[in-house]
Amino acid sequence: MHEREQAFDRPLREDLDPAVTDVVVVRHDVRSVPRQTGSVIPDPAAVDESARDHVIVEGPDALTYLHSQVAQDLRDLAVDESTWTLVLEPSGKVESLARVTRSGDDRFVFDIDAGFGEALAARLSRFKIRVQAEISVVAAASPSPSDDHEVARIEAGWPRMGFEIMPGETIPAVTGVVSVAVNFTKGCYPGQELVERMDSRGADAPKQLRIVDAVKGAVPGDPVIVDGTEVGAITSVSPAGDLALAMIKRGHDVGRPPVHLTSA
């Protein structure tokens, strides 16, 4: 595992981390700031099961292989149990946010936002050399969530692929799901270095996902303006028209955090 940073003489200082564009490493007089804490899943109403692609991985090597590829610990997952996981690029950028269910001893089913199953399957296949496991994809019944599910998702502050998470671009720290989709003791997997570096140094991400009030007519991509200053951008707007999700720049306390980061 990566070497932990020692305390500095000064209680706090900021440096630009050259490994991640625009990520400031906030160095504290202790090893790390506390990790995010929260419950393990969003409100079930926030996930439209009909708008989820399914990626099935099965075979005698499925558990061992998948455990080496995803950010979550799968070894203690019992049959019929589920957990959320990030699947990362070797660079540490997010490829997928998916829920994985162990449907048999050697069978795992990932469900992911509609339209992103093929990309997840391709990522899981990339390092599958001499591995006894087959990967298949079942497309979602619906191409997008219902309005009711989108209202619940945005009220919960849960990110969606293609909106809050852009594959190959978004870093884990800005998604708001690190606490529920990453295990810090499981061992190595592709992309782990960036996640561990930011955690061990107490790094503040350049943006954070927040639930904000929406003005009439707001659409994804609109700027969030506070006192004449642009502090972020809207990523999703509730069909109800009252709330939105936005990526807010570091240093601005706007809106409120996702529900799973605040509920007991």
Side-chain angles (χ1 to χ4, degrees):
M1 196 58 64
H2 307 288
E3 181 180 353
R4 299 295 190 180
E5 299 231 345
Q6 297 178 349
F8 288 78
D9 293 335
R10 288 179 291 173
L12 177 70
R13 79 182 193 189
E14 294 188 350
D15 298 298
L16 183 66
D17 189 341
V20 188
T21 302
D22 199 31
V23 171
V24 166
V25 176
V26 181
R27 306 184 189 277
H28 300 257
D29 59 358
V30 294
R31 181 201 63 82
S32 173
V33 296
R35 298 185 182 124
Q36 297 172 331
T37 57
S39 57
V40 296
I41 57 173
D43 185 336
V47 180
D48 187 345
E49 302 296 343
S50 70
R52 310 282 293 175
D53 289 347
H54 290 79
V55 178
I56 302 162
V57 184
E58 52 189 335
D61 294 339
L63 172 59
T64 302
Y65 178 67
L66 290 175
H67 184 73
S68 73
Q69 294 299 306
V70 305
Q72 189 60 272
D73 192 331
L74 303 183
R75 292 170 298 184
D76 294 330
L77 197 65
V79 173
D80 294 330
E81 285 187 344
S82 301
T83 188
W84 290 92
T85 187
L86 289 174
V87 183
L88 307 179
E89 295 289 341
S91 66
K93 303 291 182 64
V94 178
E95 171 61 45
S96 305
L97 167 64
R99 181 173 49 186
V100 56
T101 301
R102 189 173 191 173
S103 58
D105 287 342
D106 299 322
R107 188 175 191 270
F108 295 81
V109 179
F110 292 79
D111 65 273
I112 187 170
D113 290 312
F116 292 90
E118 292 289 350
L120 172 57
R123 164 60 185 82
L124 292 176
S125 298
R126 187 180 308 169
F127 304 109
K128 192 172 76 68
I129 302 172
R130 294 189 294 276
V131 172
Q132 296 184 58
E134 299 299 322
I135 300 176
S136 58
V137 180
V138 178
S142 174
S144 58
S146 71
D147 283 355
D148 287 346
H149 284 95
E150 274 294 271
V151 168
R153 180 183 74 84
I154 290 167
E155 287 178 347
W158 190 256
R160 179 179 168 190
M161 297 290 299
F163 289 77
E164 288 70 44
I165 298 176
M166 304 304 292
E169 300 178 14
T170 303
I171 63 173
V174 308
T175 64
V177 299
V178 168
S179 65
V180 299
V182 174
N183 183 289
F184 283 87
T185 62
K186 60 156 289 182
C188 296
Y189 57 90
Q192 178 196 25
E193 184 175 0
L194 173 60
V195 179
E196 280 288 333
R197 182 188 302 119
M198 293 189 69
D199 177 74
S200 67
R201 296 179 180 179
D204 284 355
K207 298 177 288 187
Q208 57 180 328
L209 180 61
R210 305 284 287 191
I211 305 166
V212 300
D213 292 331
V215 299
K216 185 177 180 180
V219 296
D222 282 354
V224 177
I225 307 294
V226 176
D227 296 331
T229 300
E230 183 175 332
V231 300
I234 290 175
T235 54
S236 294
V237 179
S238 172
D242 57 340
L243 294 176
L245 296 183
M247 287 295 179
I248 301 299
K249 296 176 183 178
R250 178 180 52 241
H252 297 279
D253 187 14
V254 177
R256 61 183 186 274
V259 171
H260 62 278
L261 298 181
T262 59
S263 58

